[in-house]
Amino acid sequence: QVQLREFGGDSVQTGGSLNLSCVASGSIWTIDGMGWYRQAREKQREMVASMTADGVPNYGDSVKGRFTISRDNAKNTVALQMNSLKPEDTAVYYCYAVVRRGAEYTYWGQGTQVTVSS
């Protein structure tokens, strides 16, 4: 009933910037948390950034001060501005949304590749 699509993944050099965006569509009544995880090759998926419906952000330690998350609740979108990118940021980035439809359900996008070269 809910689909998420990510946009903006690309290949950049160290120190560059990218902006990722994600849009949720389908049978959406209320979205609570939205945010981003990432998964590098041979690594576990890790939390990158999240934001509550009230606009309170949370960041993983490795991206604090470099990444900024934003939301547009009216459009069911979430974005991630990534600055000062490092090779360690190379990963597939996944958007998620926690949808409240009586109970809460977590939906995931299919991911977008971010590659940072030295």
Side-chain angles (χ1 to χ4, degrees):
Q1 291 184 316
V2 178
Q3 297 181 9
L4 278 70
R5 296 182 64 189
E6 303 100 335
F7 304 91
D10 207 347
S11 180
V12 299
Q13 293 182 323
T14 298
S17 297
L18 285 174
N19 186 269
L20 306 183
S21 61
C22 172
V23 58
S25 61
S27 183
I28 300 174
W29 293 352
T30 302
I31 299 180
D32 291 330
M34 292 190 80
W36 299 86
Y37 277 68
R38 68 185 182 188
Q39 186 169 9
R41 281 179 287 184
E42 304 177 7
K43 301 292 185 180
Q44 296 293 318
R45 188 173 297 188
E46 65 175 345
M47 195 274 288
V48 177
S50 65
M51 182 169 282
T52 69
D54 294 330
V56 180
N58 188 35
Y59 297 96
D61 289 340
S62 63
V63 307
K64 288 180 179 178
R66 300 187 298 121
F67 292 9
T68 303
I69 188 171
S70 61
R71 284 180 64 166
D72 187 334
N73 292 342
K75 298 181 179 179
N76 295 324
T77 60
V78 62
L80 185 69
Q81 178 65 45
M82 305 186 295
N83 298 323
S84 302
L85 284 164
K86 306 174 181 179
E88 302 93 285
D89 297 318
T90 296
V92 178
Y93 285 71
Y94 297 90
C95 171
Y96 78 89
V98 180
V99 178
R100 188 167 71 250
R101 199 168 51 245
E104 289 190 338
Y105 302 87
T106 302
Y107 295 89
W108 296 88
Q110 294 183 343
T112 184
Q113 177 70 49
V114 171
T115 302
V116 185
S117 60
S118 300

